[in-house]
Amino acid sequence: MAFDIEMIKKVYENMPSRVDKAREIVGRPLTLTEKTLYNHLWDGMPTQAFGRGVEYVDFAPDRVACQDATAQMALLQFMHAGKPKVAVPTTVHCDHLIQAKVGAEADLKRAKSQSNEVFDFLSSVSNKYGIGFWKPGAGIIHQVVLENYAFPGGMMIGTDSHTVNAGGLGMIAIGVGGADAVDVMSGMAWELKFPKLIGVKLTGKLSGWTAPKDVILKVAGILTVKGGTGAIVEYFGEGATAMSCTGKGTICNMGAEIGATTSTFGYDDSMGRYLRATNRADVADAADKIAPYLTGDPEVYAEPEKYFDQVIEINLSELEPHLNGPFTPDLATPISKMKEAAIKNNWPLQIQVGLIGSCTNSSYEDISRAASLAKQVADKKLKTKAKFAINPGSETIRYTIERDGFIDTFEKIGATVFANACGPCIGMWDREGAEKEERNTIVHSFNRNFSKRADGNPNTLAFVGSPELVTALAIAGDLGFNPLTDTLINEDGEEVRLEEPTGDELPPNGFDVEDPGFQAPAHDGSNVVVSVNPESERLQLLAPFKPWDGQNIVGAKLLIKAFGKCTTDHISMAGPWLRFRGHLDNISNNMLIGAINAFNQKTNSVKNQLTGVYDAVPAVARAYKAAGVPSIVVGDHNYGEGSSREHAAMEPRFLGVEAVLVKSFARIHETNLKKQGLLGLTFANEADYDKIQENDTINFLDLVDFAPGKPLSIEFVHENGSKDVIVANHTYNEGQIGWFIAGSALNLIAADNA
């Protein structure tokens, strides 16, 4: 039986009447996205139509999920909120703090030793506040959610940008910062600007070497890393219904890389099969009863141009396998063009490592198809030319693929099986030789490939592909190898061709597991004690941020003018810094150390205007803070792209940054800044970015009149005494301005519960 089945039944009980009412109010057929959103309005029954991309709307998500790296700060904030128990079903998943190095058993043992303090903290907080806890080794949050909690027509938020993976089971699942999660865990409404809608019509059917991953790689190439910003992507068509549920999850998972709020698919037989295979027949039975409400209206899919803001059509029968990268997930290259592109761009053709698995591609179907290729290595007398590694998505997946012989197949070709954790996908990879920073090529089935992302080496060129393509390329060891047309030379000197991958959508003998790794919370956690050692370097209780003093910010200094791409990895790196995710002071020492300073084109080197000396960004920020001097950060387009980590907003706030002024924001990061009481502003005229100089002093001229829809005027006083007044736009509504005035959204929650 499913977790929280009564909650799910309640969602389904409300859905027909609410959707019918919404259809009446809107006056037209509805998309699946609209049905789900209108069924989750905070006020219940719809009473008005909402303008896409215009109006902020209060929603009531069904559940919250947190991974261990972000859960630390989220739960530290929840403790500050003063609530005895979470208001909605919530889970914590220990998947980010397990470093891949030797293999699953040794790596997990080492992680439990090194991060024992953090795991114990998360376990005890979960036990106290009614939160389900998934232990280290249980699996990656998004795979575990898909296997246990996701359900068609539901709405969830999660403190990880790839929460969107649950769209593969028909959810509206959205990545958020910890402060948003605390709102919902505290029983408050969750606010979101009503999204625009992008429809992707899938015709034809996948076959041969082409996989669901190739759909999102193609879409990323079309929309780019910011083309989905402010929108939900809804997939439909014969190609969608013919695809496996986990394949749909892969597509939704990597939708985070186009900036989309989330992605989703309508309920169909593949979802029903997956629910039943994962012991949730009760959910499938309930969904079957209201199936028409769990997908878009027929009129919508018949004439999508009438109902979506943008429509993309992809013929899966003609789609070619793709590799995306390096350094950005939207540089899409069909495999037939990769050799040409690699030679033209001087990308190293020799592949050093191939990696499969992660939250994006670790389903039974993915692993079985990759294993069918691994088996051919011995059958065709080949040798794998690149190192090869696998991160199973969950203990259920790992146990099942071991039972069915796939792990043995991989080990016979020299593969390393890492723990059921994120590992290299999020930079938790102790890769031998990475410190040499040699230029090299790797291929993986993950979702992101920013510079330094996997191994910390800025000269590692990472390319994203499907598990089966990654496996073939690892066998060949050649980035230019096209398995559709090219042959390999085996140990007997013969030319052999890899046969098309094959696999099962679901395990023929069912899923199996001895210990899934779940810890249920205490029924009454009032007597559970949560302790944090004041001397700990890993955990630190939070102090509230100071409220706004009601005055204009004056005499501020420019901390950094970031040049080009500045993701949350640049603002708050992961990898070895993950150990400090529960200690705001310590982790603030990584603030913006990956951002490029526009004035000297260096990372982690900015001018301290108080001394005239160049120093690390956090050091200069601390110097300004100690002197009582406010600072601001200036950035380029899509600032804060990538992970949902709110540390990228909390660290600047903690170190005295008052405002972030950029050309444009990624959605989650802009919200995170607002939640933490920072000013997230955009240039009214993007060309004004060029007017900002290294030694500027900054004065806000009309912050005292801060109001929705009213731009702010900011004076930049240059070293020679000249000035430029720049107009900055913002998207704050009355409630969000209230967060700024209070010092943070959490301060308001705590005040309400005092």
Side-chain angles (χ1 to χ4, degrees):
M1 189 173 82
F3 287 94
D4 311 309
I5 186 62
E6 294 307 316
M7 176 269 285
I8 295 171
K9 288 180 177 178
K10 186 68 175 176
V11 172
Y12 287 172
E13 180 184 319
N14 290 330
M15 196 163 193
S17 60
R18 291 182 180 180
V19 169
D20 289 346
K21 186 64 176 178
R23 194 185 288 113
E24 175 189 323
I25 291 170
V26 175
R28 57 168 174 76
L30 297 178
T31 64
L32 165 65
T33 300
E34 291 169 315
K35 291 180 181 181
T36 308
L37 292 176
Y38 278 108
N39 188 39
H40 285 86
L41 296 176
W42 178 253
D43 292 330
M45 190 64 70
T47 58
Q48 67 177 98
F50 297 103
R52 298 178 191 168
V54 178
E55 295 178 76
Y56 282 96
V57 182
D58 285 342
F59 292 102
D62 301 312
R63 66 178 315 111
V64 176
C66 309
Q67 40 95 335
D68 50 356
T70 53
Q72 295 171 64
M73 198 58 70
L75 294 182
L76 284 164
Q77 292 179 85
F78 182 75
M79 291 168 65
H80 183 54
K83 294 285 188 178
K85 191 173 183 178
V86 291
V88 302
T90 302
T91 52
V92 167
H93 305 257
C94 296
D95 61 359
H96 272 56
L97 300 178
I98 304 168
Q99 187 180 50
K101 183 176 183 179
V102 178
E105 185 176 351
D107 293 347
L108 183 57
K109 183 178 180 181
R110 187 176 65 256
K112 287 180 177 178
S113 173
Q114 293 177 344
S115 297
N116 182 60
E117 178 187 15
V118 172
F119 294 145
D120 283 350
F121 167 75
L122 295 175
S123 174
S124 62
V125 174
S126 297
N127 204 23
K128 183 175 182 64
Y129 294 108
I131 297 168
F133 181 71
W134 290 83
K135 303 171 187 177
I140 305 173
I141 176 173
H142 312 305
Q143 181 69 24
V144 173
V145 165
L146 197 71
E147 291 173 358
N148 294 276
Y149 299 112
F151 66 96
M155 185 181 199
M156 70 174 287
I157 60 171
T159 60
D160 189 284
S161 55
H162 294 103
T163 298
V164 295
N165 186 79
L169 249 177
M171 287 197 93
I172 295 296
I174 300 174
V176 299
D180 276 353
V182 170
D183 282 356
V184 177
M185 291 157 65
S186 300
M188 298 176 63
W190 177 63
E191 182 185 70
L192 177 73
K193 184 178 286 187
F194 205 84
K196 295 182 179 179
L197 300 179
I198 297 174
V200 179
K201 182 178 182 179
L202 302 179
T203 62
K205 188 176 181 180
L206 294 171
S207 63
W209 284 93
T210 309
K213 184 63 160 269
D214 297 305
V215 176
I216 186 57
L217 295 177
K218 176 73 172 178
V219 170
I222 294 170
L223 289 177
T224 77
V225 292
K226 59 182 180 180
T229 302
I232 290 180
V233 182
E234 185 171 323
Y235 292 85
F236 62 94
E238 61 179 354
T241 55
M243 195 181 297
S244 69
C245 175
T246 52
K248 294 176 173 72
T250 291
I251 292 170
C252 293
N253 181 298
M254 203 174 158
E257 273 53 71
I258 58 171
T261 301
T262 192
S263 306
T264 194
F265 286 78
Y267 180 64
D268 60 22
D269 290 344
S270 72
M271 294 184 191
R273 290 193 298 271
Y274 185 74
L275 286 167
R276 295 179 193 282
T278 51
N279 299 314
R280 289 175 288 172
D282 46 356
V283 179
D285 290 343
D288 287 342
K289 292 176 182 176
I290 61 161
Y293 290 94
L294 299 174
T295 189
D297 286 334
E299 299 92 333
V300 170
Y301 296 155
E303 298 182 277
E305 293 80 6
K306 284 186 176 182
Y307 303 97
F308 292 97
D309 298 292
Q310 180 179 355
V311 177
I312 296 168
E313 185 169 336
I314 298 174
N315 185 339
L316 302 185
S317 300
E318 299 174 355
L319 182 63
E320 185 178 343
H322 277 61
L323 274 179
N324 284 27
F327 303 129
T328 187
D330 60 350
L331 181 56
T333 306
I335 191 61
S336 63
K337 304 293 184 184
M338 178 49 73
K339 186 172 185 178
E340 176 187 345
I343 293 171
K344 178 182 177 182
N345 291 285
N346 194 31
W347 297 332
L349 284 169
Q350 182 182 0
I351 295 171
Q352 301 291 334
V353 188
L355 305 116
I356 66 170
S358 83
C359 69
T360 327
N361 276 111
S362 57
S363 68
Y364 188 88
E365 181 179 43
D366 291 330
I367 301 300
S368 64
R369 283 172 62 86
S372 75
L373 294 169
K375 187 176 183 299
Q376 294 180 47
V377 173
D379 293 347
K380 296 180 182 294
K381 298 182 179 181
L382 293 165
K383 280 192 175 179
T384 306
K385 299 291 181 62
K387 292 181 179 179
F388 192 63
I390 303 144
N391 274 88
S394 71
E395 176 58 12
T396 296
I397 288 291
R398 190 213 62 78
Y399 189 94
T400 304
I401 65 173
E402 181 178 49
R403 180 202 66 191
D404 292 352
F406 297 149
I407 286 183
D408 182 60
T409 298
F410 288 125
E411 288 179 340
K412 283 179 178 176
I413 68 167
T416 300
V417 180
F418 289 135
N420 312 320
C422 301
C425 184
I426 52 131
M428 287 297 279
W429 182 22
D430 188 359
R431 183 185 178 191
E432 185 178 355
E435 73 282 354
K436 299 176 184 177
E437 297 193 351
E438 295 174 343
R439 197 162 183 265
N440 74 104
T441 291
I442 66 173
V443 291
H444 60 58
S445 68
F446 307 157
N447 37 47
R448 294 202 173 119
N449 57 351
F450 304 141
S451 175
K452 301 184 182 181
R453 173 80 179 186
D455 62 3
N457 178 3
N459 298 312
T460 292
L461 284 70
F463 294 84
V464 182
S466 68
E468 41 269 70
L469 184 60
V470 168
T471 304
L473 291 172
I475 292 169
D478 181 1
L479 187 65
F481 176 68
N482 181 357
L484 284 76
T485 58
D486 297 348
T487 58
L488 298 169
I489 305 298
N490 72 5
E491 292 178 290
D492 294 338
E494 301 168 332
E495 282 194 15
V496 296
R497 187 186 302 276
L498 293 175
E499 297 164 25
E500 293 178 349
T502 59
D504 293 303
E505 173 187 345
L506 296 164
N509 297 317
F511 288 106
D512 200 2
V513 66
E514 285 186 349
D515 178 11
F518 176 70
Q519 171 189 293
H523 180 71
D524 179 4
S526 58
N527 293 322
V528 177
V529 177
V530 179
S531 61
V532 174
N533 184 346
E535 303 300 316
S536 172
E537 67 167 15
R538 301 289 300 270
L539 296 166
Q540 179 187 51
L541 295 176
L542 294 174
F545 291 129
K546 291 183 179 179
W548 179 45
D549 63 6
Q551 303 299 310
N552 283 322
I553 298 167
V554 296
K557 299 297 183 182
L558 176 69
L559 178 61
I560 185 171
K561 179 179 174 179
F563 175 81
K565 185 185 283 283
C566 191
T567 71
T568 49
D569 279 272
H570 295 88
I571 304 168
S572 177
M573 288 183 177
W577 290 96
L578 285 175
R579 64 183 283 102
F580 299 123
R581 282 283 179 88
H583 198 294
L584 184 55
D585 195 357
N586 284 345
I587 199 169
S588 292
N589 288 322
N590 79 356
M591 185 189 73
L592 285 158
I593 63 175
I596 297 173
N597 181 357
F599 299 109
N600 60 12
Q601 294 298 302
K602 294 180 180 180
T603 58
N604 205 25
S605 176
V606 295
K607 190 173 184 179
N608 181 337
Q609 292 190 48
L610 303 180
T611 64
V613 176
Y614 284 85
D615 204 343
V617 183
V620 174
R622 288 183 187 276
Y624 290 154
K625 181 180 179 181
V629 176
S631 59
I632 80 162
V633 170
V634 171
D636 214 316
H637 274 299
N638 209 28
Y639 184 89
E641 169 193 345
S643 168
S644 68
R645 65 191 67 150
E646 66 183 334
H647 298 76
M650 295 185 79
E651 292 172 33
R653 181 75 166 100
F654 180 72
L655 293 185
V657 174
E658 299 280 358
V660 179
L661 173 63
V662 301
K663 293 180 182 177
S664 64
F665 282 110
R667 176 191 62 85
I668 299 176
H669 187 64
E670 181 182 19
T671 300
N672 285 346
L673 291 172
K674 292 178 178 180
K675 288 277 185 177
Q676 299 303 335
L678 273 155
L679 291 170
L681 310 172
T682 56
F683 291 99
N685 179 2
E686 291 181 7
D688 287 343
Y689 171 91
D690 298 322
K691 295 178 180 178
I692 295 172
Q693 299 176 22
E694 190 171 30
N695 295 311
D696 282 351
T697 298
I698 302 116
N699 302 310
F700 282 73
L701 303 180
D702 52 6
L703 185 59
V704 292
D705 300 319
F706 194 21
K710 183 180 184 297
L712 295 172
S713 297
I714 309 172
E715 178 184 71
F716 286 78
V717 183
H718 307 308
E719 190 175 22
N720 64 5
S722 64
K723 302 176 182 178
D724 278 304
V725 175
I726 287 173
V727 176
N729 293 331
H730 67 83
T731 59
Y732 287 74
N733 57 28
E734 289 286 0
Q736 294 167 346
I737 289 175
W739 302 341
F740 173 74
I741 293 170
S744 72
L746 184 58
N747 286 355
L748 282 182
I749 296 175
D752 289 343
N753 293 312

